[in-house]
C-alpha cells in the first residue's frame, strides 16, 4: 500500500473535496487526513468504511486502489455523516443535562443545612448545563458549515434545558415572615416542610420552606406533566418561527389537557380552602356566644401576653395562636378556628382545622397526580396514533 496515500489524495481532489471537509465528515482532524495522504498512517476500519461510501466505492476498490466510473462524492452520505456526528454529540449533551439534574437532587437532599443547600446544588447544575451547551455549540459550528438551511438545533437545546429546569422549581426555597397570630402560621406549623428559622419575641416567625424527598415524589407526576407541557408549548413556538407544519389535532389535544388541569387545580384550591362548618344560632344564643367568646379570649390574655387585645369585632386570626399552642383544651373546641361572625344571619363560620386542611391538601395532590398520569398517557397515545396515521398515509 505504498501509493495508498497518493490514491486517497487523487480521489479527494477528483471529487472536489478539501481535507477539512473529509475530516469533518469522518469526525477526525484535518491533520489525520493529511497523515493518511502522506502515507504516515492508514485509516482505521470504521474510517475506511466511511471513506469508501463517501467516495462512492467499495472497500475492496479502495484498498486495491481501483478507480470506478464515479467522479462525484456521495453527497447524501456526506451529510448523513455530519448529521450522525451531531446526533452523537446531542446525546452526550442531553446526558450531561440529566446527570447535572440528578447531581442537583443528590446534593440538595444530601445537605442538611437548609438555608444554604439550594445555592451549591444550583451552581453545580448550571455548571453541567454550561458544559452541555459548549459541546452542542462546538458541534454546531461544524454542522452549520454544511447546512445551508436555517437550522433549529441551538433553539432545541434551549427548549431541552428549560424543560429540564422545570424539575428544579419545587425545590426553590422561600423565606416567609408571618405574624404568629395568623391563620397562615397555624397551618404552616402543622406541616413538615417549613423550617422555623427565626422567632422574634413570639410575635412573628421567619419560615424557610424546603421540600423533602418524599414530598417531591408525591408531586412528581404533576411536575412531569408541567415539564411536558412546557416542552410542547416551546416546540410549537419553534415550529411556528421556522414556518414548519403543526398538527392542529396536537394543539387541540394540548389545549384540552391544559383546560382540564386548570379546572382541576382551581377546584382543588376551593376544596382545600372551603370552611369546615357553619353554626347558626337564634339571636339571643348568638349574643351569648359572642359574650362567652370575649370572656374566654380575655382569660387567655392573662396567660399569653403576646395575644393582641380583644375588640368587639374579632377577626379570624384572634385564636390562631391558641390553635397552635393549646388546641387540646376544651374551650378551644368551641372558640378556636372561627373564621367570621355574621351578625346579619346570627351565624358563626369555622375555618377548617390544620389537620383537615392537610388531609384535603394530600387528597387534592393525589387527584392531580392521577389526572397528570392520565394526561401523560394521552400524550403518548396521541403520538402513536399520529405515527400510525402517517405510516398508512405513506403506504
Amino acid at each position: 500500500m505504498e501509493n495508498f496515500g497518493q490514491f486517497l489524495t487523487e480521489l479527494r481532489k477528483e471529487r472536489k473535496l478539501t481535507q477539512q471537509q473529509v475530516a469533518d465528515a469522518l469526525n477526525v482532524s484535518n491533520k489525520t487526513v493529511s497523515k493518511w495522504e502522506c502515507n504516515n498512517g492508514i485509516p482505521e476500519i470504521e474510517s475506511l468504511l466511511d471513506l469508501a461510501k463517501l467516495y462512492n466505492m467499495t472497500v475492496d476498490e479502495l484498498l486495491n486502489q481501483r478507480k470506478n466510473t464515479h467522479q462525484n462524492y456521495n453527497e447524501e452520505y456526506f451529510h448523513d455523516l455530519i448529521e450522525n456526528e451531531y446526533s452523537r454529540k446531542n446525546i452526550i449533551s442531553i446526558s450531561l443535562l440529566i446527570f447535572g439534574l440528578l447531581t442537583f437532587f443528590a446534593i440538595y437532599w444530601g445537605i442538611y443545612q437548609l438555608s444554604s443547600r439550594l445555592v451549591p446544588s444550583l451552581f453545580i447544575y448550571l455548571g453541567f448545563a454550561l458544559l452541555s451547551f459548549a459541546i452542542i455549540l462546538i458541534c454546531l459550528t461544524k454542522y452549520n458549515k454544511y447546512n445551508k438551511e436555517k437550522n433549529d438545533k441551538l433553539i432545541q437545546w434551549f427548549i431541552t434545558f428549560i424543560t429540564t429546569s422545570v424539575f428544579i422549581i419545587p425545590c426553590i426555597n422561600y423565606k416567609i415572615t408571618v405574624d404568629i397570630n395568623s391563620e397562615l402560621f397555624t397551618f404552616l406549623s402543622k406541616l413538615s416542610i417549613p423550617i422555623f428559622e427565626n422567632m422574634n419575641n413570639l410575635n412573628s416567625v421567619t419560615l424557610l420552606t424546603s421540600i423533602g424527598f418524599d414530598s417531591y415524589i408525591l408531586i412528581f407526576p404533576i411536575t412531569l406533566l408541567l415539564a411536558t407541557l412546557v416542552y410542547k408549548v416551546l416546540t410549537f413556538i419553534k415550529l411556528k418561527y421556522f414556518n414548519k407544519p403543526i398538527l392542529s389535532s396536537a394543539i387541540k389535544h394540548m389545549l384540552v389537557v391544559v383546560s382540564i388541569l386548570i379546572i382541576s387545580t382551581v377546584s382543588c384550591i376551593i376544596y382545600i380552602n372551603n370552611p369546615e362548618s357553619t353554626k347558626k344560632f337564634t339571636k339571643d344564643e348568638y349574643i351569648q356566644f359572642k359574650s362567652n367568646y370575649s370572656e374566654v379570649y380575655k382569660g387567655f390574655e392573662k396567660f399569653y401576653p403576646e395575644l393582641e387585645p380583644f375588640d368587639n369585632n374579632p377577626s379570624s386570626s384572634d385564636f390562631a395562636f391558641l390553635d397552635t399552642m393549646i388546641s387540646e383544651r376544651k374551650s378551644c373546641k368551641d372558640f378556636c378556628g372561627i373564621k367570621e361572625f355574621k351578625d346579619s344571619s346570627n351565624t358563626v363560620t369555622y375555618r377548617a382545622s390544620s389537620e383537615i386542611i392537610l388531609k384535603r391538601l394530600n387528597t387534592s395532590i393525589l387527584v392531580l397526580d392521577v389526572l397528570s398520569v392520565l394526561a401523560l398517557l394521552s400524550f403518548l397515545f396521541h403520538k402513536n396514533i399520529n405515527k400510525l396515521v402517517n405510516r398508512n398515509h405513506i403506504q
Side-chain angles (χ1 to χ4, degrees):
M1 299 181 64
E2 289 183 14
N3 298 320
F4 187 65
Q6 185 180 349
F7 180 66
L8 289 178
T9 304
E10 291 174 1
L11 289 174
R12 177 177 59 77
K13 289 182 177 179
E14 285 174 359
R15 286 152 178 80
K16 297 179 182 179
L17 291 170
T18 64
Q19 285 185 345
Q20 186 61 56
Q21 286 176 311
V22 175
D24 287 341
L26 273 60
N27 193 30
V28 296
S29 66
N30 58 350
K31 289 182 179 179
T32 301
V33 177
S34 177
K35 193 190 332 181
W36 294 341
E37 295 183 356
C38 292
N39 277 325
N40 292 327
I42 59 173
E44 295 179 358
I45 294 176
E46 186 178 351
S47 296
L48 279 172
L49 293 170
D50 287 336
L51 271 173
K53 200 159 187 180
L54 181 63
Y55 291 152
N56 269 325
M57 303 174 69
T58 64
V59 176
D60 185 59
E61 287 174 333
L62 184 64
L63 291 175
N64 290 294
Q65 303 176 37
R66 295 200 309 268
K67 293 184 180 181
N68 56 28
T69 56
H70 294 288
Q71 293 296 315
N72 297 320
Y73 72 98
N74 190 336
E75 187 173 357
E76 184 179 347
Y77 188 66
F78 176 84
H79 288 289
D80 284 345
L81 288 172
I82 299 293
E83 187 71 39
N84 290 340
E85 173 59 15
Y86 164 76
S87 298
R88 284 193 292 268
K89 291 289 171 55
N90 190 44
I91 290 172
I92 295 172
S93 176
I94 293 174
S95 299
L96 280 171
L97 275 178
I98 295 173
F99 186 75
L101 185 64
L102 294 176
T103 306
F104 169 89
F105 289 132
I107 295 173
Y108 182 80
W109 286 310
I111 297 177
Y112 296 98
Q113 190 178 355
L114 298 177
S115 59
S116 63
R117 69 182 185 176
L118 178 67
V119 176
S121 306
L122 196 57
F123 271 110
I124 288 175
Y125 169 70
L126 292 176
F128 276 102
L130 191 61
L131 183 59
S132 169
F133 179 72
I135 288 174
I136 210 71
L137 193 62
I138 292 170
C139 181
L140 286 176
T141 303
K142 179 174 73 174
Y143 181 88
N144 290 335
K145 286 194 298 185
Y146 306 108
N147 189 353
K148 296 179 182 179
E149 295 181 1
K150 186 165 58 172
N151 72 78
D152 59 354
K153 308 292 185 185
L154 195 59
I155 293 176
Q156 187 60 47
W157 182 89
F158 279 105
I159 291 175
T160 305
F161 169 67
I162 293 170
T163 302
T164 308
S165 301
V166 170
F167 292 96
I168 292 177
I169 293 176
C171 299
I172 295 175
N173 301 138
Y174 300 96
K175 278 191 177 182
I176 308 172
T177 300
V178 294
D179 187 349
I180 204 166
N181 297 329
S182 67
E183 289 183 52
L184 182 60
F185 175 78
T186 305
F187 173 60
L188 292 178
S189 65
K190 304 292 184 181
L191 291 171
S192 60
I193 294 175
I195 302 299
F196 290 74
E197 193 177 61
N198 184 32
M199 295 189 74
N200 303 314
N201 300 320
L202 289 177
N203 290 321
S204 65
V205 62
T206 300
L207 304 175
L208 179 67
T209 62
S210 178
I211 192 167
F213 178 74
D214 52 345
S215 299
Y216 189 90
I217 292 299
L218 186 63
I219 65 168
F220 180 75
I222 303 171
T223 310
L224 183 59
L225 176 60
L226 289 175
T228 304
L229 290 173
V230 167
Y231 181 84
K232 286 187 171 293
V233 169
L234 293 176
T235 301
F236 287 151
I237 294 172
K238 181 195 73 173
L239 293 174
K240 185 73 175 176
Y241 176 75
F242 286 99
N243 295 319
K244 293 184 178 179
I246 304 173
L247 288 175
S248 58
S249 60
I251 296 178
K252 289 177 183 177
H253 180 250
M254 190 184 72
L255 289 175
V256 169
V257 171
V258 171
S259 300
I260 292 174
L261 184 64
I262 291 173
I263 293 171
S264 303
T265 303
V266 171
S267 301
C268 286
I269 291 172
I270 294 172
Y271 169 67
I272 292 169
N273 290 283
N274 191 41
E276 182 181 359
S277 62
T278 300
K279 195 171 183 180
K280 186 169 180 61
F281 300 89
T282 63
K283 187 171 183 179
D284 291 339
E285 288 173 340
Y286 181 74
I287 294 172
Q288 184 63 45
F289 184 86
K290 285 190 73 174
S291 175
N292 294 340
Y293 179 95
S294 172
E295 290 177 9
V296 170
Y297 191 92
K298 288 176 181 178
F300 279 127
E301 281 181 337
K302 297 176 182 178
F303 298 102
Y304 299 96
E306 54 273 11
L307 287 174
E308 296 178 0
F310 177 78
D311 57 34
N312 291 324
N313 296 304
S315 67
S316 60
S317 64
D318 281 340
F319 273 98
F321 178 81
L322 302 181
D323 272 347
T324 306
M325 306 298 291
I326 52 172
S327 59
E328 73 280 0
R329 299 197 180 183
K330 172 68 173 69
S331 53
C332 247
K333 291 183 179 178
D334 292 326
F335 299 113
C336 287
I338 292 177
K339 185 171 185 178
E340 61 179 337
F341 290 91
K342 290 186 178 180
D343 295 340
S344 59
S345 58
N346 298 325
T347 57
V348 175
T349 303
Y350 288 86
R351 56 186 167 84
S353 65
S354 300
E355 289 79 5
I356 290 175
I357 291 174
L358 277 177
K359 191 179 292 185
R360 290 177 179 177
L361 177 64
N362 289 330
T363 302
S364 299
I365 289 174
L366 288 174
V367 169
L368 291 175
D369 278 343
V370 172
L371 290 174
S372 298
V373 171
L374 291 175
L376 290 167
L377 290 174
S378 73
F379 279 129
L380 189 62
F381 178 76
H382 188 266
K383 183 178 179 181
N384 291 333
I385 288 293
N386 286 334
K387 283 184 178 179
L388 186 62
V389 170
N390 291 334
R391 192 181 305 159
N392 292 336
H393 181 70
I394 292 171
Q395 290 176 351

